[in-house]
Amino acid sequence: MPVWICATCGNHYPETGKPPDNCVICADERQWIPPTGQRWTTSEELASNGYRSDVREVEPGLLGIGVEPSLGIGQRGLLVRTSGGNLLWDPPGFLDEQALRAVEEAGGLHAVSSSHPHMYGAIIEWSRAFDAEILLAEADLGWLTRPEADVRSWSGALDVLPGATLVQCGGHFPGSAVLHWAGGAAGAGALLSGDTVHVTPGEDRVTFAWSAPNRLPMPERAVRRIVEAMRPYSYDRIYTGWWSPTLHRNAQRVVDDSAERYVQFLRGEAPSVI
């Protein structure tokens, strides 16, 4: 029996004779179900339709693993390489032998984690392929659609590997997290944010959203909590959940400035607001 994959978000559901009636993640107000109704697929169907992994070096020590053509919300995973092992972050919903081989050649996989439930993707398959530990925020465990998985939960902050720390920020989901990679950006530090923090298309500022597709804003207290959770960590770069955009430099200052600007708009205090 196949693992069922939601075609809209890319999350996996248990092996059963037929798919569930709906995807609980897409039925939530932060996601969406197509007007034509719930759609399901399988890894076998995707492969037969020409889907394949897209593996690229993002920067030294950081490997990107995406899917071509785009699947679900279109995220690409990031493999962070450390002296103590590798961590895969936000894996997309499809993997193949090319992706498995690339990770094997990069040193295998110690752990796999995710920023929030929209990006759990093929996390179970990656864990099984490399006997890797699954690390998920305790606050969001109820959203895991494969309850048979053996998961280690965490909250607050967790040092996973040398220079790799999971940080719970909340906001989008109660357990929404970032991964701080101290060795990123040539040692200046990088944040892997999923969509806890959104880099804008001009790659010169960031923004925040409770639901990006449904255009629902983040309340002020949540924005401030995100910024404060990230403050103890030094970082100069932010990678979101997609190949682009990326905030390449001065990320810590940009986050602080963008958060204040965002709050001005929430309060109706921005000078340009009529």
Side-chain angles (χ1 to χ4, degrees):
M1 290 184 288
V3 170
W4 296 101
I5 303 173
C6 174
T8 305
C9 72
N11 272 283
H12 288 204
Y13 283 74
E15 299 97 326
T16 54
K18 63 178 183 178
D21 291 335
N22 59 58
C23 171
V24 295
I25 290 176
C26 289
D28 178 72
E29 194 174 14
R30 283 161 287 203
Q31 236 318 83
W32 57 282
I33 295 174
T36 52
Q38 176 68 50
R39 295 184 297 117
W40 297 100
T41 185
T42 66
S43 290
E44 293 76 13
E45 181 180 61
L46 292 170
S48 68
N49 287 337
Y51 282 76
R52 59 178 179 80
S53 292
D54 180 11
V55 181
R56 313 177 197 174
E57 183 180 65
V58 177
E59 66 167 82
L62 191 65
L63 195 68
I65 303 173
V67 179
E68 184 62 38
S70 179
L71 172 66
I73 61 177
Q75 88 260 28
R76 58 93 185 89
L78 289 169
L79 183 77
V80 177
R81 304 174 68 178
T82 80
S83 60
N86 300 336
L87 184 148
L88 179 60
W89 175 254
D90 279 348
F94 175 80
L95 74 159
D96 56 15
E97 287 301 320
Q98 178 191 2
L100 293 169
R101 187 167 57 251
V103 171
E104 182 68 39
E105 292 172 353
L109 196 57
H110 173 85
V112 57
S113 188
S114 182
S115 59
H116 69 291
H118 291 160
M119 295 187 175
Y120 287 172
I123 198 168
I124 309 300
E125 279 64 35
W126 279 106
S127 170
R128 291 175 176 173
F130 289 94
D131 193 25
E133 188 173 39
I134 300 173
L135 301 170
L136 294 178
E138 182 176 4
D140 292 342
L141 287 182
W143 290 100
L144 184 62
T145 53
R146 301 280 296 280
E148 78 277 15
D150 185 14
V151 175
R152 175 185 172 193
S153 63
W154 65 278
S155 60
L158 179 66
D159 294 325
V160 183
L161 290 164
T165 303
L166 294 169
V167 182
Q168 182 179 354
C169 299
H172 183 39
F173 277 79
S176 283
V178 298
L179 175 63
H180 179 252
W181 176 35
L191 282 182
L192 282 53
S193 74
D195 63 2
T196 302
V197 175
H198 292 268
V199 176
T200 57
E203 298 188 338
D204 60 348
R205 66 192 70 192
V206 302
T207 191
F208 310 85
W210 191 76
S211 170
N214 295 321
R215 307 299 193 267
L216 295 173
M218 190 90 69
E220 177 180 347
R221 65 182 181 278
V223 172
R224 295 202 182 279
R225 186 166 60 242
I226 290 169
V227 174
E228 288 306 310
M230 301 190 309
R231 195 176 301 283
Y233 303 91
S234 297
Y235 57 95
D236 194 51
R237 184 170 298 164
I238 294 179
Y239 292 104
T240 59
W242 299 268
W243 294 114
S244 64
T246 296
L247 186 54
H248 294 276
R249 60 186 64 85
N250 301 321
Q252 207 152 10
R253 176 184 59 77
V254 170
V255 166
D256 287 343
D257 292 348
S258 297
E260 291 304 318
R261 183 64 169 162
Y262 187 95
V263 169
Q264 283 183 336
F265 273 90
L266 287 178
R267 293 179 173 180
E269 297 173 353
S272 58
V273 176
I274 298 176

